[in-house]
Amino acid sequence: MTDTSFLAHLASWLLLSLLLSWCVAGCWRVANTQRVPFSPDVQVKLLFTLVWLPFACAAFSLIINELPPISRYLVGEHCHESHCGPHDLYIPTSSTLGAGVLAFAIGLLCVTIVMMARQLYLNKRFHQLLQLASARSPANPCANFCNSASGPQADMKQFYQRVDSQVPSAWCAGLLRPQIYVSQGLVEKLTDNQLNLVLLHEFNHVRQLDNIKLMCVRYFMILWPKRWRTAYRHAFINGLELRSDMFALHNAGHCASLDDLPLCVCQQAGEQGASSERRERLNRLLTQPQNTLMQYAVSYISVFVFGMILTLIAVAVGHPLMEFLLQ
């Protein structure tokens, strides 16, 4: 494969991914009006899968386009010069339009990479500044709990970073090796049980690598319409917060209850909904049995079928579209 051919295939993948991503955005906006009550863990995994699904389907469609015995059943017969019948994706870039489309796609990819690199650099700098402005707490009230715990909570660090600030807040910063930070004002304000719950909530963000997922969701949706992008991100963040709340409540032992969880502290920027509504949903999740296995089965079977449909659309529509744009 020549360099030009590789770039043409890369441009085709980017453009198909963009088109399929808009399809996902539109379908989600329609489906979101139904308000299906998924558990937080299913909600997070489903939303995260949907944002990268178009990129996987676009790549799979290009593979199918390189297999004429298969693509012949999905693409209408047409000719290129003297070559008619089933053929590989024909994407020369000699025309002005083809070169322009190629330059646009490659430019979009470069801009996205630069933005992600900048975000990674800023996250690293922010993390370094936080470490300089904070100190490890040698008297973590969660230490005794962690030492006697078993299961997921036993992996929790016995120390957190204490920030010299009187504003009550707690969060985790960092991507590959996130760290929990708690303000001095929050430590002084909360009881031991409340602080345990906050630390467990943040620890779940750490163990699930939620910061990386948030960054991926942000850039996978970079060209979505702003209103749709904002609503999707809010739904994803709400799912992350509810999932961490449930983890904290399930792993804090019998000494803690929902009333001990300070929801105004355990939230991220962009979370949608009042604390009372969130507490009400948590109460329903704790008191009403959830058939999570059935939710997983239904959601992932639906995503698989939806992905197959997207792939078929990409092959049937994308093949002639790419050939037209890049000829």
Side-chain angles (χ1 to χ4, degrees):
M1 182 182 294
T2 64
D3 292 341
T4 304
S5 178
F6 170 76
L7 293 177
H9 279 82
L10 179 60
S12 300
W13 173 72
L14 289 171
L15 293 174
L16 286 174
S17 298
L18 175 60
L19 294 175
L20 296 181
S21 185
W22 286 345
C23 290
V24 170
C27 292
W28 176 78
R29 286 296 292 171
V30 174
N32 191 46
T33 59
Q34 304 302 316
R35 301 291 181 182
V36 180
F38 286 121
S39 70
D41 192 53
V42 176
Q43 178 182 338
V44 168
K45 287 182 169 60
L46 182 60
L47 291 176
F48 187 67
T49 301
L50 285 177
V51 292
W52 61 255
L53 184 65
F55 299 87
C57 291
F60 192 49
S61 70
L62 288 178
I63 294 174
I64 294 177
N65 276 322
E66 295 299 312
L67 303 172
I70 299 177
S71 63
R72 66 183 300 177
Y73 297 105
L74 302 173
V75 181
E77 185 172 323
H78 55 287
C79 300
H80 291 289
E81 299 174 352
S82 60
H83 179 65
C84 297
H87 57 273
D88 297 344
L89 189 60
Y90 181 77
I91 46 177
T93 58
S94 56
S95 67
T96 303
L97 179 59
V101 171
L102 182 62
F104 169 77
I106 301 303
L108 178 63
L109 178 63
C110 292
V111 169
T112 303
I113 292 175
V114 169
M115 291 177 63
M116 292 185 67
R118 180 176 179 273
Q119 184 65 46
L120 290 172
Y121 172 76
L122 292 176
N123 285 342
K124 182 178 179 180
R125 288 289 298 164
F126 178 65
H127 198 182
Q128 290 174 341
L129 291 174
L130 281 175
Q131 289 180 326
L132 291 175
S134 59
R136 285 194 179 276
S137 172
N140 183 356
C142 192
N144 294 332
F145 167 76
C146 295
N147 287 333
S148 61
S150 60
Q153 64 271 37
D155 297 328
M156 185 175 178
K157 300 293 184 183
Q158 294 186 17
F159 300 96
Y160 56 86
Q161 296 289 111
R162 184 178 298 189
V163 180
D164 187 15
S165 171
Q166 292 303 311
V167 178
S169 58
W171 68 96
C172 66
L175 295 175
L176 296 178
R177 299 178 63 183
Q179 173 67 51
I180 298 173
Y181 292 91
V182 179
S183 69
Q184 180 67 30
L186 184 66
V187 174
E188 296 173 355
K189 179 181 179 180
L190 300 184
T191 65
D192 286 359
N193 282 342
Q194 290 176 322
L195 187 57
N196 284 345
L197 286 169
V198 170
L199 291 173
L200 283 168
H201 174 101
E202 297 302 329
F203 172 65
N204 192 58
H205 287 313
V206 171
R207 65 189 286 269
Q208 297 284 358
L209 296 177
D210 287 343
N211 288 348
I212 291 181
K213 292 175 182 175
L214 270 172
M215 189 181 74
C216 291
V217 167
R218 175 183 177 184
Y219 286 103
F220 283 149
M221 302 186 302
I222 194 168
L223 291 180
W224 283 27
K226 183 177 180 179
R227 177 180 293 183
W228 296 3
R229 185 171 67 243
T230 301
Y232 197 96
R233 188 170 182 271
H234 282 165
F236 186 71
I237 289 176
N238 287 339
L240 292 179
E241 295 304 308
L242 285 169
R243 182 172 69 174
S244 290
D245 289 340
M246 293 296 293
F247 176 86
L249 292 168
H250 284 153
N251 291 278
H254 300 291
C255 57
S257 65
L258 178 57
D259 293 333
D260 294 325
L261 184 62
L263 297 181
C264 59
V265 174
C266 300
Q267 66 181 23
Q268 297 193 34
E271 185 187 0
Q272 196 175 40
S275 295
S276 59
E277 296 176 0
R278 182 168 151 196
R279 192 176 298 276
E280 182 180 347
R281 184 175 178 189
L282 282 171
N283 186 57
R284 289 199 303 269
L285 290 170
L286 291 169
T287 56
Q288 299 176 5
Q290 298 286 316
N291 193 345
T292 306
L293 181 61
M294 179 61 69
Q295 290 182 2
Y296 271 121
V298 172
S299 60
Y300 275 99
I301 290 174
S302 301
V303 167
F304 177 78
V305 173
F306 185 52
M308 293 297 295
I309 294 174
L310 288 180
T311 303
L312 295 177
I313 292 175
V315 174
V317 178
H319 186 115
L321 178 62
M322 291 302 104
E323 291 181 336
F324 170 75
L325 290 177
L326 294 171
Q327 68 183 348

